[in-house]
Amino acid sequence: MKSYKNIYEEIISLKNLTLAWKKARKGKTKKDYVKEFEENLAYNLKILHDELKSQTYKPKLLVTFVLRDPKTRKISKSDFRDRIVHHAIINILEPIFDKTFIYDSCANRKGKGNLFAIKRFEKFQRKVTNNFHSEAFCFKADIKHYFQEVNHEILLNIIRRKIKDEKVLWLINIILNNFESKNKGMPLGNLTSQFFANIYLNELDYFVKHKLKAKYYIRYVDDFILLNSSKNELLSWGGGD
């Protein structure tokens, strides 16, 4: 397995922070907090770079609000400068990890998404039912309170398999700990939370595909489905009877 040792400098480079700023401001250019940051853009990016370089960077407290759409969810919003840091991390780490993800991990990935997941489900439906001529079954599940329960130590150990740069792990740990619980959980609303969710649940994907040998499996963040022509096999996978 290929590992990466010296990528912190790449993450915190002014070139990458500038690209991250452009991504963070997308669709939000009229927001006051964006305008305020951009009044002294070069200076603010340089200060951010210096804090990251000296490892004195600390994210600001999250702003939390409740969203009902229709499920009630607690969303935590990061400060704009912290969102730049999130984009900077993902700019460099996403290409490293994305190629390790299974094809049918559909959320928060380029070229994937809701529509992709639906099309894959329809394709699997046709295959498992022999074009709707035979009976088949679907097991649908989600991981209860997933974002509140993610274990930081396990996540960092998974990341550590590929990322050997301790400064990168320090930065990820700082972001993870900027939450109500210090050892577990990730805030819904953080770009990094979505990305780390895929890294964490990639372990589940590999288990389902390689240990269970499930042919028809799709995951979208913490929701997943399995299709099979055998109801008993699905029940055995799901721990049912």
Side-chain angles (χ1 to χ4, degrees), residues 1 96-105 109 158 161-162 198-214 217 219:
M1 182 190 285
I96 293 169
F97 283 94
D98 192 75
K99 54 190 163 194
T100 70
F101 297 158
I102 66 163
Y103 187 74
D104 292 307
S105 165
R109 296 178 68 198
I158 294 167
R161 288 180 208 156
K162 289 193 85 64
N198 276 342
I199 292 176
Y200 199 84
L201 289 176
N202 193 41
E203 303 293 300
L204 170 68
D205 298 341
Y206 272 69
F207 174 78
V208 172
K209 296 297 288 182
H210 300 291
K211 297 283 188 209
L212 298 182
K213 308 281 185 193
Y217 165 76
R219 182 176 61 78

Side-chain angles (χ1 to χ4, degrees), residues 104-107 112-124 218-220 225:
D104 292 307
S105 165
C106 303
K112 304 286 168 95
N114 283 329
L115 192 60
F116 175 87
I118 291 163
K119 284 182 177 176
R120 290 296 283 172
F121 179 71
E122 288 169 350
K123 184 178 181 178
F124 287 170
I218 303 165
R219 182 176 61 78
Y220 193 94
I225 61 155

